[in-house]
Amino acid sequence: MPKFYFEDFSPGWKAEYGPRVITREEMIGFATQFDPQPMHLDEEAAARTMLGGLGASGWHTCAFMMKMIADGFLLDAASMGAPGIDEVKWLKPVRPGDSLTVSGRVLSARVSQSKPDRGFVTLHWEVSNERGETVMTLTCPQMLLRRNAGAPA
């Protein structure tokens, strides 16, 4: 039974999850399988890239963030998924040993006009390292069931 429904997320809602350390082995394992570019696989090769050293794939940072959000609230929510991502920005490299924290806030919330049993909550997420640097941002709408689907919008 979900703990959280659409009505629990209004503009101003905030959350923070983590920190969690990302390891060199995790980074290289992910890159080997899904993003085998030199800057994600090998320190020497990475030193010659624009990252200036080994850095996590941006897609790994997204997956890392998703796990923290899922553990933080999403698995306890009446989530119906997301229709996509509005924007993702990779701002700084994520390095082996970085301790990442995810913080999020609701930008907007609206009941679906065509399916009043659900609503859309637009969330803005930031991933920061232990130095307080924002390494990634992501904005996306989330579909959630309404607690009382028959209530007026």
Side-chain angles (χ1 to χ4, degrees), residues 41-58:
L41 294 170
D42 177 80
E43 282 91 350
E44 282 186 38
R48 295 187 300 272
T49 70
M50 67 182 220
L51 296 184
L54 191 66
S57 164

PDB file of all heavy atoms in Angstrom, residues 41-58:
ATOM      1  N   LEU A  41      36.851   4.754 -18.171  1.00  0.00           N
ATOM      2  CA  LEU A  41      37.417   3.414 -18.013  1.00  0.00           C
ATOM      3  C   LEU A  41      38.856   3.354 -17.516  1.00  0.00           C
ATOM      4  O   LEU A  41      39.237   2.398 -16.843  1.00  0.00           O
ATOM      5  CB  LEU A  41      37.367   2.670 -19.361  1.00  0.00           C
ATOM      6  CG  LEU A  41      35.986   2.346 -19.904  1.00  0.00           C
ATOM      7  CD1 LEU A  41      36.083   1.844 -21.338  1.00  0.00           C
ATOM      8  CD2 LEU A  41      35.309   1.310 -19.019  1.00  0.00           C
ATOM      9  N   ASP A  42      39.648   4.355 -17.850  1.00  0.00           N
ATOM     10  CA  ASP A  42      41.088   4.248 -17.642  1.00  0.00           C
ATOM     11  C   ASP A  42      41.663   5.589 -17.192  1.00  0.00           C
ATOM     12  O   ASP A  42      41.473   6.601 -17.876  1.00  0.00           O
ATOM     13  CB  ASP A  42      41.735   3.792 -18.956  1.00  0.00           C
ATOM     14  CG  ASP A  42      43.227   3.722 -18.896  1.00  0.00           C
ATOM     15  OD1 ASP A  42      43.753   2.732 -18.365  1.00  0.00           O
ATOM     16  OD2 ASP A  42      43.880   4.678 -19.373  1.00  0.00           O
ATOM     17  N   GLU A  43      42.381   5.588 -16.061  1.00  0.00           N
ATOM     18  CA  GLU A  43      42.926   6.825 -15.499  1.00  0.00           C
ATOM     19  C   GLU A  43      43.860   7.554 -16.469  1.00  0.00           C
ATOM     20  O   GLU A  43      43.774   8.774 -16.622  1.00  0.00           O
ATOM     21  CB  GLU A  43      43.663   6.565 -14.176  1.00  0.00           C
ATOM     22  CG  GLU A  43      42.767   6.383 -12.986  1.00  0.00           C
ATOM     23  CD  GLU A  43      42.369   4.929 -12.741  1.00  0.00           C
ATOM     24  OE1 GLU A  43      42.628   4.060 -13.613  1.00  0.00           O
ATOM     25  OE2 GLU A  43      41.768   4.671 -11.684  1.00  0.00           O
ATOM     26  N   GLU A  44      44.771   6.812 -17.100  1.00  0.00           N
ATOM     27  CA  GLU A  44      45.738   7.443 -18.014  1.00  0.00           C
ATOM     28  C   GLU A  44      45.036   8.066 -19.207  1.00  0.00           C
ATOM     29  O   GLU A  44      45.317   9.205 -19.580  1.00  0.00           O
ATOM     30  CB  GLU A  44      46.779   6.426 -18.478  1.00  0.00           C
ATOM     31  CG  GLU A  44      47.840   6.148 -17.445  1.00  0.00           C
ATOM     32  CD  GLU A  44      48.925   5.244 -18.001  1.00  0.00           C
ATOM     33  OE1 GLU A  44      49.293   5.390 -19.194  1.00  0.00           O
ATOM     34  OE2 GLU A  44      49.398   4.389 -17.233  1.00  0.00           O
ATOM     35  N   ALA A  45      44.139   7.322 -19.819  1.00  0.00           N
ATOM     36  CA  ALA A  45      43.396   7.852 -20.971  1.00  0.00           C
ATOM     37  C   ALA A  45      42.513   9.019 -20.526  1.00  0.00           C
ATOM     38  O   ALA A  45      42.408  10.025 -21.226  1.00  0.00           O
ATOM     39  CB  ALA A  45      42.548   6.755 -21.604  1.00  0.00           C
ATOM     40  N   ALA A  46      41.896   8.901 -19.360  1.00  0.00           N
ATOM     41  CA  ALA A  46      41.005   9.949 -18.854  1.00  0.00           C
ATOM     42  C   ALA A  46      41.756  11.250 -18.581  1.00  0.00           C
ATOM     43  O   ALA A  46      41.204  12.347 -18.761  1.00  0.00           O
ATOM     44  CB  ALA A  46      40.305   9.472 -17.586  1.00  0.00           C
ATOM     45  N   ALA A  47      43.013  11.142 -18.173  1.00  0.00           N
ATOM     46  CA  ALA A  47      43.820  12.334 -17.888  1.00  0.00           C
ATOM     47  C   ALA A  47      44.007  13.187 -19.138  1.00  0.00           C
ATOM     48  O   ALA A  47      44.209  14.403 -19.041  1.00  0.00           O
ATOM     49  CB  ALA A  47      45.175  11.924 -17.319  1.00  0.00           C
ATOM     50  N   ARG A  48      43.907  12.583 -20.307  1.00  0.00           N
ATOM     51  CA  ARG A  48      44.093  13.308 -21.574  1.00  0.00           C
ATOM     52  C   ARG A  48      42.770  13.824 -22.153  1.00  0.00           C
ATOM     53  O   ARG A  48      42.747  14.344 -23.259  1.00  0.00           O
ATOM     54  CB  ARG A  48      44.801  12.404 -22.572  1.00  0.00           C
ATOM     55  CG  ARG A  48      46.219  12.045 -22.145  1.00  0.00           C
ATOM     56  CD  ARG A  48      46.970  11.275 -23.229  1.00  0.00           C
ATOM     57  NE  ARG A  48      46.337  10.004 -23.593  1.00  0.00           N
ATOM     58  CZ  ARG A  48      46.565   8.834 -22.982  1.00  0.00           C
ATOM     59  NH1 ARG A  48      47.416   8.775 -21.982  1.00  0.00           N
ATOM     60  NH2 ARG A  48      45.960   7.737 -23.385  1.00  0.00           N
ATOM     61  N   THR A  49      41.682  13.656 -21.435  1.00  0.00           N
ATOM     62  CA  THR A  49      40.377  14.115 -21.923  1.00  0.00           C
ATOM     63  C   THR A  49      39.988  15.423 -21.236  1.00  0.00           C
ATOM     64  O   THR A  49      40.674  15.892 -20.329  1.00  0.00           O
ATOM     65  CB  THR A  49      39.270  13.072 -21.650  1.00  0.00           C
ATOM     66  OG1 THR A  49      39.017  13.017 -20.245  1.00  0.00           O
ATOM     67  CG2 THR A  49      39.654  11.695 -22.185  1.00  0.00           C
ATOM     68  N   MET A  50      38.867  15.973 -21.635  1.00  0.00           N
ATOM     69  CA  MET A  50      38.398  17.220 -21.033  1.00  0.00           C
ATOM     70  C   MET A  50      38.062  17.062 -19.550  1.00  0.00           C
ATOM     71  O   MET A  50      38.018  18.032 -18.814  1.00  0.00           O
ATOM     72  CB  MET A  50      37.183  17.773 -21.776  1.00  0.00           C
ATOM     73  CG  MET A  50      35.935  16.944 -21.674  1.00  0.00           C
ATOM     74  SD  MET A  50      34.622  17.682 -22.626  1.00  0.00           S
ATOM     75  CE  MET A  50      33.251  17.405 -21.527  1.00  0.00           C
ATOM     76  N   LEU A  51      37.853  15.809 -19.087  1.00  0.00           N
ATOM     77  CA  LEU A  51      37.591  15.580 -17.667  1.00  0.00           C
ATOM     78  C   LEU A  51      38.860  15.702 -16.832  1.00  0.00           C
ATOM     79  O   LEU A  51      38.783  15.928 -15.630  1.00  0.00           O
ATOM     80  CB  LEU A  51      36.961  14.200 -17.443  1.00  0.00           C
ATOM     81  CG  LEU A  51      35.575  13.952 -18.045  1.00  0.00           C
ATOM     82  CD1 LEU A  51      35.075  12.576 -17.634  1.00  0.00           C
ATOM     83  CD2 LEU A  51      34.599  15.027 -17.642  1.00  0.00           C
ATOM     84  N   GLY A  52      40.023  15.493 -17.453  1.00  0.00           N
ATOM     85  CA  GLY A  52      41.282  15.612 -16.727  1.00  0.00           C
ATOM     86  C   GLY A  52      41.508  14.507 -15.710  1.00  0.00           C
ATOM     87  O   GLY A  52      42.356  14.633 -14.836  1.00  0.00           O
ATOM     88  N   GLY A  53      40.772  13.452 -15.807  1.00  0.00           N
ATOM     89  CA  GLY A  53      40.898  12.327 -14.893  1.00  0.00           C
ATOM     90  C   GLY A  53      39.665  11.451 -14.981  1.00  0.00           C
ATOM     91  O   GLY A  53      38.672  11.826 -15.614  1.00  0.00           O
ATOM     92  N   LEU A  54      39.724  10.307 -14.339  1.00  0.00           N
ATOM     93  CA  LEU A  54      38.623   9.351 -14.382  1.00  0.00           C
ATOM     94  C   LEU A  54      37.350   9.982 -13.831  1.00  0.00           C
ATOM     95  O   LEU A  54      37.348  10.582 -12.758  1.00  0.00           O
ATOM     96  CB  LEU A  54      38.985   8.099 -13.576  1.00  0.00           C
ATOM     97  CG  LEU A  54      38.061   6.903 -13.737  1.00  0.00           C
ATOM     98  CD1 LEU A  54      38.130   6.346 -15.165  1.00  0.00           C
ATOM     99  CD2 LEU A  54      38.441   5.812 -12.736  1.00  0.00           C
ATOM    100  N   GLY A  55      36.286   9.861 -14.581  1.00  0.00           N
ATOM    101  CA  GLY A  55      34.991  10.399 -14.162  1.00  0.00           C
ATOM    102  C   GLY A  55      33.882   9.428 -14.504  1.00  0.00           C
ATOM    103  O   GLY A  55      33.966   8.690 -15.488  1.00  0.00           O
ATOM    104  N   ALA A  56      32.848   9.436 -13.691  1.00  0.00           N
ATOM    105  CA  ALA A  56      31.690   8.567 -13.934  1.00  0.00           C
ATOM    106  C   ALA A  56      30.969   9.001 -15.199  1.00  0.00           C
ATOM    107  O   ALA A  56      30.915  10.193 -15.522  1.00  0.00           O
ATOM    108  CB  ALA A  56      30.730   8.614 -12.750  1.00  0.00           C
ATOM    109  N   SER A  57      30.390   8.056 -15.895  1.00  0.00           N
ATOM    110  CA  SER A  57      29.494   8.363 -17.000  1.00  0.00           C
ATOM    111  C   SER A  57      28.336   9.195 -16.453  1.00  0.00           C
ATOM    112  O   SER A  57      27.833   8.945 -15.347  1.00  0.00           O
ATOM    113  CB  SER A  57      28.963   7.059 -17.592  1.00  0.00           C
ATOM    114  OG  SER A  57      27.826   7.293 -18.400  1.00  0.00           O
ATOM    115  N   GLY A  58      27.879  10.158 -17.219  1.00  0.00           N
ATOM    116  CA  GLY A  58      26.701  10.921 -16.817  1.00  0.00           C
ATOM    117  C   GLY A  58      25.499  10.027 -16.634  1.00  0.00           C
ATOM    118  O   GLY A  58      24.666  10.243 -15.740  1.00  0.00           O
TER     119      GLY A  58
END
